[in-house]
Amino acid sequence: MPRAHLARRIALSVVVLVVLALVAMTILAVSTIRRPFPEMSGELEVEGLSGQVNVTRDARGVPTIYADTAADLFRAQGYVSAQDRFFEMDLRRHTTAGRLSELVGEAGVEADRVIRTMGWRRVAEQELPTLAPETRQYLQAYADGVNAYLKQAESPADLALEYQVLDWSVPGYRVEPWTPVDSLAWLKAMAWDLRADYEDELARARLSRGGRTSEKQINLLYPPYPFDRHRPILSERDWDPTATPELEQAAAATPTSLLKQGQAAFDAAAAAVDAIPTLLGKGDGIGSNSWVVSGDRTTTGKPLLANDPHLTLGIPSIWTQVNLQCRTVSPQCPFQVSGFSFSGLPGVIIGHNAKIAWGFTNLGADVTDFYLEQLNEDSYLRDGEQVELDTRTETIKVAGGADVQITVRNTVHGPILSDASPAVAESGDQSAVRGVTQSNRFAVSLAWTALTPNKTADAIFRLNKAGSWREFRAAAALFAVPSQNLIYADTDGHIGYQTPGLIPIRRSATPGAVPGFWPAPGWDSQWDWRGFVRFEDLPHALDPEEGFVVTANQAVTARQKPFLTSEWDYGFRAERIRTLLAGAAKVSPERMVQIQGDVRNTFAPVLVEHLLGVEVDDFTAQAQLLLRDWDGSQPADKTRDSASAAYYNAVWRHLLEYTFDELPPDIGASGGSRWMIVMEQLLKEPKNAWWDDKTTPGVTEESREILKRALVDARLDLARKLGKVPATWRWGRLHQLNLEHPVLGQESVPGFIRDLFNRGGIELGGGSSIVNANSWDASSAGYEVTSGPSMRMVIDLDNLDRSVWVNATGQSGHPYNAHYTDQIDAWVANEPFPWPFGTEAVAAAAEEELTLVPPGQVPNG
């Protein structure tokens, strides 16, 4: 055979082999990816059920579960949750138990060290036996359902693709049975991310170090709430509390001198806080919108209620959707409830039942305090005496590595958080207290309401079955952490508001400052918490005179009793929602949805007025013209407003960078509502010391120089990123969302693996402190979306089946499942889906039905 023919045949054979190999790999890859997809139709035997359960799913895979007993209802919810999201559940329980290293290896050690120090799971274990018997039964039924699903799997790879991938680097992982404590521990994670003030309290202490930043300049960064133009949730007409002696005592207490600490102990505590994985979110963008309108002001004649919690956006989404239905409602099976929950937690967190609807926004209550502790080997100073530290040893098991042992130390205030940072060995040898340097070893302990066993789990189930304002408030009274704003509506036409949660009573640690503003001296018991505000003394209102309630993390009330926090969101979103509601003669369900998608930046005109007064060169002036006649709208599309928004936000980022250049990188100006109020004040003080650029010694800049520099550099920046013609710029090209898997979506993971799990390049409008709150961090290098509306819902109390909802990604946690990303486009466009609740509506929407039966039982019908 001629050599050329042989070569061609060999080449052809190689090509065929390669093609066959690629086909085989594709089939294998498809098979591997589809392997954990759940069965969503047909019949399955489920261990532990007492009767038949029917699970229908709509076009987006959202389940409606029908059962005859509460135990079967929650057992089936556990089974379905595991079908859809078990890896997410497993990741959450490892994180909350301080056992992340067992799942992901050495990368989890730092987080485990901090969470073990706080003891989230230990608290959950203490909490379980204190809960109501029915709550424990529901938690156990849910766990039984999860475990029934796990028992059907031959290996972890049958449960989720993530286990197959992790097995390549950390082989031999075994899935443990689910327990009620696994569910309870997630409530600690929820409370951790939704507490407030802790980062700012540490930041103020660190900024005061050695007098580097004066108290006056620090205070300017934390301005008072602008009650004169951004109204609180409740007016004095809505809520007029009767002061109690306990509250009066707390308000009349005399504070101590300013604590200008901030040495290595505070740095170590801050590092420990930063080590905890972001589960729900953190920073300026973490908040929510919710509002409720009475029937007198709606087109339906009954209340309308809207909610969109602003949390970290990842994939899968934080929320899972579910409709839980007892076939016959009775004391033994009292649930007909639908809404959003967390995978791993039974019941519904936000949503409605047949009688009432409710929504949450983060109250931002100050429920943490840091205490500086003076240590002496195994004891600490307390009212002039040495008290023995409470000490325990924990072992962190690391997949693929050696065990890590840590020592956890506690004072009367709580765990010594600065121990959890590797820098603790260097922390706090000296600290200035009342202006006198003291030589002692210092550490920082954490007091936090969630570290005491509480009844929040009881509150969830009582909320799910409440049928009136009275029952709603009884449930809210048990909701200890995280402290939230709760809004209410019912089918009888009532609307309301309630502050729930454990709110500490404390004294201020510095003259003229609010309580909890600065860390307190742990060696003096007068700064300890004095108990908690009684539930009866927390703000609440039924059927307020105005006819609607708006909560968007703004101040609850102008009153200082009870003291809730000094760290409110500054109210731009809330005031915009109020304006849009008040501008409608009657509010329709469609109008409620439209408001959720509003992209107007109401602070922008304040800054633009000053920017337009700055004289710049012709090149910069081409962009500066975009700000003329711009109303602050920030759409993502190809419009002049979008181009204006792109330039404005680039200027805003540079302006904050140049003005606050002396702040440490991790305390940078993020651009949220607080920084808007700070900048507004600084613009009135053109010679304020914050304007001076510390990198130009011998030159003292004023506001005009910094404003001009921001305009010029933003123009140059966008010319490089978006092109030289300002009219072609688009906010959406800068402001994009990249949905990342919490484990396998990170930069350290090979790209082809990340691509399996992540979805990105999603262009979004809106921005920080805008109703459509797709926030970004101005202290970072770009404009990437960091948090946003994690879901949206509008509930129509006139006809619950006309309610609408949308999740940020999809119901499924399995990559390439049809329901992994099938809600993203609708979420981006703010086009929510119908939300069937009643039997007929659910049946009309059903596309698949799965029948679950006890082993050996023949399905009915």
Side-chain angles (χ1 to χ4, degrees), residues 181-385:
V181 173
D182 294 329
S183 295
L184 288 179
W186 173 247
L187 295 175
K188 307 306 167 192
M190 184 171 73
W192 177 254
D193 276 359
L194 297 180
R195 75 214 179 284
D197 185 56
Y198 74 103
E199 287 184 326
D200 290 327
E201 189 174 325
L202 280 177
R204 288 187 286 267
R206 293 169 63 201
L207 288 173
S208 68
R209 177 188 306 173
R212 181 176 64 185
T213 308
S214 71
E215 180 183 351
K216 178 181 178 181
Q217 292 300 95
I218 293 174
N219 286 339
L220 193 147
L221 300 182
Y222 299 92
Y225 186 86
F227 287 102
D228 57 329
R229 53 202 172 91
H230 290 175
R231 283 160 286 187
I233 295 171
L234 299 182
S235 69
E236 293 190 11
R237 296 191 308 275
D238 298 330
W239 182 66
D240 185 15
T242 301
T244 67
E246 182 180 43
L247 295 178
E248 291 289 353
Q249 177 188 9
T254 303
T256 60
S257 301
L258 175 67
L259 289 175
K260 293 184 177 178
Q261 314 304 349
Q263 286 72 337
F266 288 116
D267 290 338
V273 167
D274 288 342
I276 299 175
T278 298
L279 299 169
L280 295 182
K282 62 182 180 180
D284 282 341
I286 303 308
S288 303
N289 300 323
S290 70
W291 63 93
V292 60
V293 185
S294 72
D296 292 340
R297 301 196 58 156
T298 69
T299 59
T300 66
K302 287 289 181 73
L304 297 170
L305 185 149
N307 198 183
D308 53 286
H310 306 153
L311 303 170
T312 292
L313 299 171
I315 194 164
S317 60
I318 285 168
W319 299 102
T320 182
Q321 295 156 280
V322 69
N323 186 8
L324 301 171
Q325 298 278 344
C326 291
R327 290 193 182 95
T328 301
V329 176
S330 66
Q332 291 72 39
C333 197
F335 297 99
Q336 284 186 320
V337 61
S338 184
F340 294 87
S341 190
F342 298 114
S343 60
L345 192 67
V348 168
I349 302 298
I350 296 175
H352 70 82
N353 59 33
K355 297 286 186 65
I356 75 166
W358 66 93
F360 282 85
T361 62
N362 197 22
L363 178 68
D366 187 356
V367 295
T368 60
D369 272 332
F370 291 100
Y371 288 87
L372 193 70
E373 309 282 6
Q374 293 192 49
L375 306 187
N376 183 11
E377 296 182 353
D378 296 329
S379 65
Y380 63 101
L381 186 63
R382 176 86 170 154
D383 292 334
E385 299 181 358

Side-chain angles (χ1 to χ4, degrees), residues 55-227:
V55 182
T56 69
R57 290 184 185 258
D58 66 10
R60 283 155 293 284
V62 177
T64 294
I65 303 174
Y66 291 100
D68 291 319
T69 69
D72 280 356
L73 188 68
F74 292 116
R75 191 172 284 111
Q77 187 187 6
Y79 188 92
V80 171
S81 296
Q83 278 189 312
D84 287 340
R85 301 274 193 103
F86 182 71
F87 180 80
E88 181 182 45
M89 295 166 60
D90 201 19
L91 175 64
R92 285 175 173 177
R93 72 164 160 181
H94 275 81
T95 302
T96 57
R99 296 175 54 197
L100 188 58
S101 303
E102 296 177 24
L103 186 63
V104 302
E106 188 176 350
V109 170
E110 192 174 1
D112 286 347
R113 182 185 285 112
V114 181
I115 291 171
R116 294 282 189 99
T117 297
M118 285 193 282
W120 290 1
R121 187 177 177 87
R122 288 169 60 88
V123 177
E125 290 170 345
Q126 297 166 14
E127 203 165 271
L128 182 62
T130 72
L131 299 174
E134 61 268 25
T135 298
R136 298 199 301 273
Q137 291 168 12
Y138 301 154
L139 289 166
Q140 186 61 58
Y142 184 90
D144 291 344
V146 174
N147 293 329
Y149 184 73
L150 298 182
K151 287 180 181 178
Q152 298 174 4
E154 295 182 1
S155 73
D158 293 332
L159 301 171
L161 178 63
E162 287 92 336
Y163 294 118
Q164 181 70 54
V165 175
L166 288 171
D167 191 60
W168 298 339
S169 57
V170 186
Y173 177 75
R174 292 292 178 265
V175 174
E176 296 177 0
W178 192 265
T179 72
V181 173
D182 294 329
S183 295
L184 288 179
W186 173 247
L187 295 175
K188 307 306 167 192
M190 184 171 73
W192 177 254
D193 276 359
L194 297 180
R195 75 214 179 284
D197 185 56
Y198 74 103
E199 287 184 326
D200 290 327
E201 189 174 325
L202 280 177
R204 288 187 286 267
R206 293 169 63 201
L207 288 173
S208 68
R209 177 188 306 173
R212 181 176 64 185
T213 308
S214 71
E215 180 183 351
K216 178 181 178 181
Q217 292 300 95
I218 293 174
N219 286 339
L220 193 147
L221 300 182
Y222 299 92
Y225 186 86
F227 287 102

